[in-house]
Amino acid sequence: MSLLKAWRAAIVHCIADPKEVGIENAYEYFADGLLVTENDKIHAIGHADKLLPKLPKDIEIEHHPDGIITPGFIDTHIHYPQTDMIGSYGEQLLTWLNTYTFPEESKFSDKQHAREVAERFLAELLRNGTTTALVFGTVHKVSVEAFFEACEVQNLRMICGKVMMDRNAPDYLTDTPETSYEDSKALIDAWHNKGRLHYAITPRFAPTSSDEQLQLAGKLLGEYEDVYLHTHLSENKDECAWVQELFPQSRHYLDVYDQHQLLSERSVFAHGIHLCDHEYHRLHETGSAIAFCPTSNLFIGSGLFRLSEAEKQQVNVGLGTDVGGGTSFSMLQTMNEAYKVIQLQNENLNPIKSLYLATLGGAKALRLEDKIGNLAVGTEADFIILDKKATPLLTSRLALSKNIEETLFVFMTIGDDRAIKATYSAGQCVHQR
Ligand code: GUN
Ligand code: ZN
């Protein structure tokens, strides 16, 4: 039976990349809008006064006079097993991994622990309005099983993978090329494209994989048409120097992955801070994407992502939190820090561009733009309701806002989980404040 439901509020969503069509043509805004869903899909979107007369008289309508509906946020890089180590003090990447990350990740050999953290992690994402994420598990197969099982209960569109890591990490956290290949393959067969779930082949980063393991990761990527490849790239200067030592044959960092056939339209590389022209060019040529993770890049002192350079070289970019290197689950706070990273390079990040990166741009980076990322009719009903009166400061500041761009910018500057009134996934409410 088909079931129509409607929400009345302001609505804003991106319909194109501002870089391609200009800011004005990149979004649609309805000051008094109506979003109509039919079961799990968007059925109609438009001005309330135009749509209301066309709807059945008995349709259920939720009215949010202080609400703004946007698509659910898309986080293109996050580690669910690092939920409980967010805010770990004082180190940069390589020491941070050894001191905090590896001991924390060892706990995920226990499926019960993994399940408990996965549930809290998903609750945190949804509280922050994030409806899709590209997620690292740990080296343990059970960590990914626990994650997917938790996602399935709420019918979330999520992507995850088991870490492949066979060297330069503690023995308790390493696999072998063969077991990583077998475990990843079994997980793909069991979970990839099951409902709304997808699998990402996940070598941690070049330093923790042997040539043999990377080669098997590439083989696996070639064996399936539409699985993802998810890893880290060129985040920290010491890391980059180490990669050159470990792989003297490679021309640059990305070349290590390139030589193992790991670049593809479904490959997502977190960070990509210290890249040369040739690396941008290969990312563009292969349709690969970068996940820009500003809170992490600042917190662990990695550097400033060059968004305008990536754009100039036509590389797909999404936005990521990178928790627990990142300091917030909130994509609003991630946009706040992105703005500052760009400011430090004497440029401005337009709020519509930020919204694009957090929604449709992320969907495009993940090749899911036919399903999620905006509120086009026929796409999946993953959306959120922002509350203009969520806090006293939002209330007073937004009372002075002159237009939707300014309103969005204020949400992106002082907003966080409190600003998310409700989150919907496939038409179902999965969070209510
Ligand atoms: N590089 C390799 N592993 C990690 C990780 O867990 N977090 C971050 N930020 N970078 C990494
Ligand atoms: Zn990461």
Side-chain angles (χ1 to χ4, degrees):
M1 196 188 73
S2 104
L3 192 63
L4 293 182
K5 207 184 153 192
W7 287 262
R8 183 172 184 173
I11 305 176
V12 60
H13 70 152
C14 287
I15 50 175
D17 188 344
K19 174 188 76 183
E20 279 156 23
V21 300
I23 295 295
E24 290 305 317
N25 296 320
Y27 70 102
E28 271 182 344
Y29 171 59
F30 307 99
D32 179 17
L34 200 72
L35 184 73
V36 187
T37 61
E38 181 175 13
N39 301 318
D40 58 339
K41 301 270 173 17
I42 309 285
H43 175 78
I45 176 173
H47 296 288
D49 59 354
K50 291 210 185 103
L51 280 179
L52 283 169
K54 298 183 190 163
L55 294 175
K57 294 271 169 302
D58 60 346
I59 187 172
E60 185 188 335
I61 301 177
E62 258 187 43
H63 193 193
H64 297 269
D66 297 315
I68 302 178
I69 295 174
T70 76
F73 296 133
I74 298 175
D75 184 338
T76 58
H77 179 67
I78 186 164
H79 301 250
Y80 101 79
Q82 296 176 13
T83 299
D84 293 337
M85 53 162 287
I86 192 168
S88 291
Y89 178 77
E91 303 296 348
Q92 295 210 349
L93 179 63
L94 302 177
T95 325
W96 176 85
L97 284 172
N98 286 312
T99 311
Y100 301 114
T101 315
F102 292 154
E104 184 64 24
E105 292 194 2
S106 74
K107 299 175 188 168
F108 289 73
S109 60
D110 173 4
K111 187 159 182 189
Q112 188 48 40
H113 176 79
R115 190 176 290 133
E116 192 262 313
V117 177
E119 283 168 10
R120 277 193 288 114
F121 169 87
L122 290 177
E124 201 62 36
L125 283 187
L126 298 172
R127 243 158 52 72
N128 281 283
T130 299
T131 46
T132 289
L134 174 56
V135 181
F136 258 66
T138 63
V139 75
H140 314 98
K141 191 174 170 222
V142 290
S143 74
V144 176
E145 291 166 344
F147 180 76
F148 279 144
E149 284 162 16
C151 294
E152 215 176 19
V153 174
Q154 302 193 79
N155 193 23
L156 306 175
R157 191 166 282 291
M158 290 281 164
I159 313 169
C160 186
K162 180 206 107 73
V163 168
M164 303 171 79
M165 172 155 71
D166 68 348
R167 64 167 174 171
N168 293 320
D171 287 345
Y172 61 76
L173 215 57
T174 47
D175 51 18
T176 69
E178 294 74 27
T179 60
S180 69
Y181 176 85
E182 292 303 331
D183 284 352
S184 302
K185 199 174 181 63
L187 286 166
I188 294 170
D189 292 337
W191 292 100
H192 183 57
N193 293 336
K194 185 175 185 206
R196 303 180 81 203
L197 305 173
H198 310 272
Y199 193 82
I201 297 162
T202 309
R204 178 168 218 116
F205 66 154
T208 48
S209 284
S210 62
D211 266 308
E212 201 185 349
Q213 184 167 58
L214 293 175
Q215 190 248 321
L216 284 175
K219 175 165 147 48
L220 204 48
L221 190 62
E223 284 169 357
Y224 294 87
E225 206 174 295
D226 58 354
V227 293
Y228 292 88
L229 183 286
H230 185 198
T231 189
H232 297 91
L233 170 71
S234 201
E235 175 178 7
N236 165 287
K237 290 222 166 117
D238 291 344
E239 169 207 12
C240 294
W242 194 23
V243 169
Q244 273 311 307
E245 265 172 49
L246 291 169
F247 298 92
Q249 254 56 297
S250 67
R251 279 190 291 174
H252 43 64
Y253 195 150
L254 187 69
D255 197 35
V256 176
Y257 299 135
D258 208 354
Q259 286 180 6
H260 295 92
Q261 281 73 53
L262 294 173
L263 278 57
S264 80
E265 288 195 346
R266 282 188 169 69
S267 298
V268 179
F269 298 93
H271 310 301
I273 297 172
H274 313 284
L275 299 178
C276 66
D277 275 356
H278 193 253
E279 289 173 296
Y280 287 117
H281 181 67
R282 280 300 288 158
L283 288 168
H284 161 66
E285 228 172 28
T286 55
S288 303
I290 297 177
F292 169 27
C293 306
T295 77
S296 168
N297 297 162
L298 296 172
F299 182 70
I300 49 179
S302 303
L304 303 179
F305 177 67
R306 292 152 65 205
L307 179 62
S308 57
E309 195 57 35
E311 295 222 303
K312 200 168 96 193
Q313 311 242 19
Q314 299 177 64
V315 177
N316 297 320
V317 178
L319 207 53
T321 60
D322 193 28
V323 166
T327 52
S328 175
F329 279 80
S330 168
M331 290 294 280
L332 292 172
Q333 276 310 297
T334 303
M335 292 181 245
N336 179 24
E337 300 298 291
Y339 178 81
K340 296 172 190 173
V341 165
I342 305 308
Q343 271 284 21
L344 285 168
Q345 300 171 79
N346 292 313
E347 290 166 27
N348 287 324
L349 185 56
N350 180 282
I352 296 295
K353 180 74 192 190
S354 289
L355 179 69
Y356 174 80
L357 290 173
T359 56
L360 187 58
K364 284 188 178 168
L366 301 176
R367 308 288 166 183
L368 290 171
E369 70 271 25
D370 59 331
K371 297 185 174 65
I372 55 169
N374 70 10
L375 304 171
V377 170
T379 63
E380 298 172 351
D382 287 5
F383 64 94
I384 61 176
I385 304 173
L386 296 168
D387 178 7
K388 288 200 276 184
K389 297 202 169 146
T391 68
L393 190 62
L394 274 168
T395 307
S396 59
R397 176 63 184 85
L398 289 177
L400 301 179
S401 173
K402 291 179 286 302
N403 53 49
I404 184 64
E405 291 185 27
E406 183 178 345
T407 296
L408 284 173
F409 187 62
V410 171
F411 270 112
M412 289 166 193
T413 307
I414 61 170
D416 52 34
D417 55 323
R418 294 168 296 176
I420 313 296
K421 193 172 182 193
T423 304
Y424 290 82
S425 174
Q428 298 298 312
C429 184
V430 285
H431 165 71
Q432 202 151 23
R433 195 190 59 208

